[in-house]
Amino acid sequence: MMINKIIITESQYNRLFKPLLKESHFNIVLDNVLTDLDKNYKKVTAVVKDYHDYNEKPRFKVKVDDSLIEAKELLEYLKYKYHEVCGDDFLKQVIDDWYHGKIDGGHLSKNVTLK
């Protein structure tokens, strides 16, 4: 009996099998948002003066035009883009976890529902 094997690249594997391995709509939406964040934004820490103290604040650099935006502005854009599939709490958690590197294996640091 002869067994045939197919050799495929990693990108072909991801296109073919990644959607099949997804457990739920939650993981698909999370992957889409994370892909959007990775492609379009870079994590930056800005030092901001608050009264007499200097504090580090999370900022995001837009890769297209190198402008800096706050988390609130990024949240507003993502709410506009993904308003039909997920809610504010989900997007806030994704932004926070993505910035701090807390997303582990497609799981957020806190249990949050899509809507």
Side-chain angles (χ1 to χ4, degrees), residues 18-34:
K18 206 170 188 181
L20 298 175
L21 298 175
K22 294 296 175 191
E23 296 174 8
S24 65
H25 184 63
F26 179 89
N27 291 351
I28 294 169
V29 172
L30 179 61
D31 264 1
N32 288 340
V33 175
L34 290 175

Side-chain angles (χ1 to χ4, degrees), residues 39-79:
K39 284 183 180 177
N40 300 315
Y41 302 98
K42 183 177 177 183
K43 306 170 207 175
V44 178
T45 302
V47 178
V48 179
K49 184 177 181 180
D50 292 332
Y51 300 108
H52 300 291
D53 295 334
Y54 289 92
N55 298 319
E56 292 182 351
K57 300 281 184 174
R59 297 286 190 266
F60 304 92
K61 181 184 261 188
V62 181
K63 290 183 179 179
V64 174
D65 62 357
D66 287 336
S67 62
L68 287 178
I69 60 172
E70 295 182 14
K72 184 178 179 182
E73 294 169 310
L74 179 59
L75 176 64
E76 288 301 317
Y77 172 71
L78 291 178
K79 283 193 319 191

